[in-house]
Amino acid sequence: MKPQRNRASVAPKAAIAALAALLLAGCGEIKNTITPRPGSANTITVVLAGPPNAFDAGIYDAQALGFFKQTDLDVRLVTPSAGQDPVLMVHDNQALLALSSEPNVLLHRNEDQPVVAVAAIVHAPLQRITITAPRGGPSGGAGVGTAGATTTATTTTRRRKTTHTTTTSATTTTTAPTTTTLSDPGATLWPASLQQLLSKPGYPTYNGLVIVARKDSIVNNAPLLRRFVQAVARGYRAARANPTRAITNLIAAVPSLAPQQTLETATLQAALPYIFPAHLKVWGYSRAREWNAFGTWLTSNHLLANANAITDASTNELLPGQGI
C-alpha cells in the first residue's frame, strides 16, 4: 500500500501558493476602485484661464475618466468673464484654484497677494507654440475649392449621332495648412511695458500655464489640493496616451468647441512636448532657477519691486511623489 499523504500539510502549502500568487498580481499599479458615498465628495471650484480649449484637455479628461470621482472630489470648472482675473479670484477666495501664467503669479505677488503656483502645465510661453492645422471650414478640416470641368457625352439614336458638351463645376480639396499663434492667459491684463518686452526675443523662458492656489490653502488644505493636482496629472497622462479621446471628452463637456475639433486636436498635439518636456521626470514640476531667472529679469525691467515676489512663488510639494 502507498503511504497516505498528510492532508494537513497540503492545505497550508496550497494557501501559501495562493497568497503568493495574489501578492505577485498586486505588484503592478494600484488602482483606486473605491466608490465614494453619494454626497460625500469635497466640492472645489477651479477657475480656468479663459474659455476652455485644448490646453485644458487633461483636466477635462480627468473629469470624464472619473479620476476626480475616484479621489472623492466634485470639481466645478468656471470660465472667467471678460475682465475677470482668475488669480485675483483665488486671492479673494472666490475659488480654491485657478489656471493662469507665471508672469501673472509674479505680478500678483508683487502686490503682496500670497498666491503660489502648485503645478506647471505648459513649460513654455504659449506664444512660442506653433499650431499647424489643415486649413478650411470651421472645423479646421480640409478646404474645398471649385474648378471648372468639361465633360463630353455622345448619344446615338437611329437617325443620328449627337455629341453634347457640358461644362460643370467639380470640387477639389486643398490641404494647405494654417498656422496659429497664441498669447499667454492674462496677457491683456499685463502692463503695456511687459507686453512690449515679451513681443521681442531674448527674454527668459517661463511657464505659460500653471495651477495657482493661495499660500494658506496649501497650509490648511494640502491633502485636498494634493488629490486634485494628482488627479489632473493622471488626466494629462491620459491625454498624452490618447489625444483624440481627450479632445472628444473636452467637446462632450463643451459642445461649442465641436466646430473646431480638428484645430483643438492639432493644438493638443503641438502642446504635448511642452506639457511633457524631455527633462521632466514628474508631471507639473517647476524649476526654481527658471522662476528666479524670469523674476530677476522682470525686476531688472522695473516690473517687480517687491523682494518677496520671487521667493517661494512656486512649489512642487503637491505633485505625485513629492512633499510629505
Side-chain angles (χ1 to χ4, degrees):
M1 293 178 60
K2 293 183 179 180
Q4 189 174 10
R5 297 179 63 187
N6 188 340
R7 294 182 180 180
S9 65
V10 173
K13 292 180 179 179
I16 292 171
L19 179 60
L22 181 62
L23 291 173
L24 287 173
C27 288
E29 179 184 358
I30 298 175
K31 296 183 179 180
N32 187 346
T33 58
I34 297 174
T35 302
R37 290 179 289 105
S40 69
N42 296 113
T43 301
I44 64 174
T45 300
V46 180
V47 185
L48 300 177
N53 57 44
F55 290 99
D56 307 316
I59 297 175
Y60 281 94
D61 228 17
Q63 189 87 281
L65 298 175
F67 298 156
F68 293 140
K69 186 176 180 180
Q70 290 172 10
T71 54
D72 208 8
L73 293 177
D74 176 16
V75 177
R76 299 183 179 179
L77 301 175
V78 175
T79 301
S81 58
Q84 277 190 312
D85 187 334
V87 178
L88 187 59
M89 294 174 72
V90 166
H91 175 260
D92 291 344
N93 286 315
Q94 297 178 47
L96 183 64
L97 295 160
L99 271 62
S100 191
S101 62
E102 181 176 330
N104 252 18
V105 172
L106 293 171
L107 290 171
H108 279 275
R109 288 176 61 86
N110 193 54
E111 300 297 326
D112 283 322
Q113 297 178 13
V115 291
V116 180
V118 297
I121 297 177
V122 181
H123 297 258
L126 300 195
Q127 60 189 1
R128 290 185 181 177
I129 301 176
T130 302
I131 300 166
T132 303
R135 183 173 61 188
S139 65
V144 178
T146 60
T150 302
T151 58
T152 303
T154 301
T155 303
T156 303
T157 64
R158 290 183 180 180
R159 295 183 180 180
R160 61 184 178 180
K161 180 169 72 174
T162 306
T163 300
H164 305 278
T165 301
T166 306
T167 301
T168 60
S169 293
T171 60
T172 59
T173 59
T174 61
T175 57
T178 181
T179 300
T180 303
T181 55
L182 305 166
S183 60
D184 292 304
T188 56
L189 302 175
W190 295 347
S193 56
L194 177 57
Q195 296 183 45
Q196 185 176 8
L197 284 169
L198 294 179
S199 67
K200 303 173 183 178
Y203 57 87
T205 190
Y206 59 83
N207 297 306
L209 191 63
V210 298
I211 301 175
V212 186
R214 282 180 60 97
K215 183 177 180 180
D216 58 358
S217 295
I218 300 173
V219 174
N220 300 324
N221 299 299
L224 182 65
L225 296 181
R226 185 173 288 112
R227 281 152 53 195
F228 172 81
V229 169
Q230 297 189 11
V232 170
R234 293 179 64 191
Y236 276 98
R237 288 196 297 267
R240 175 179 59 175
N242 194 334
T244 301
R245 181 189 62 190
I247 296 300
T248 298
N249 288 335
L250 171 65
I251 291 174
V254 190
S256 60
L257 292 176
Q260 56 197 60
Q261 181 168 357
T262 302
L263 178 59
E264 295 298 336
T265 302
T267 300
L268 179 56
Q269 294 280 16
L272 282 173
Y274 300 94
I275 297 173
F276 294 96
H279 70 267
L280 196 71
K281 294 183 179 180
V282 177
W283 174 89
Y285 195 89
S286 291
R287 289 179 163 181
R289 66 175 180 270
E290 291 182 354
W291 280 79
N292 292 338
F294 185 69
T296 300
W297 179 81
L298 289 177
T299 302
S300 65
N301 283 281
H302 311 291
L303 288 160
L304 294 183
N306 190 333
N308 297 319
I310 305 171
T311 305
D312 297 327
S314 66
T315 180
N316 295 311
E317 64 183 281
L318 303 178
L319 302 178
Q322 308 297 305
I324 299 175

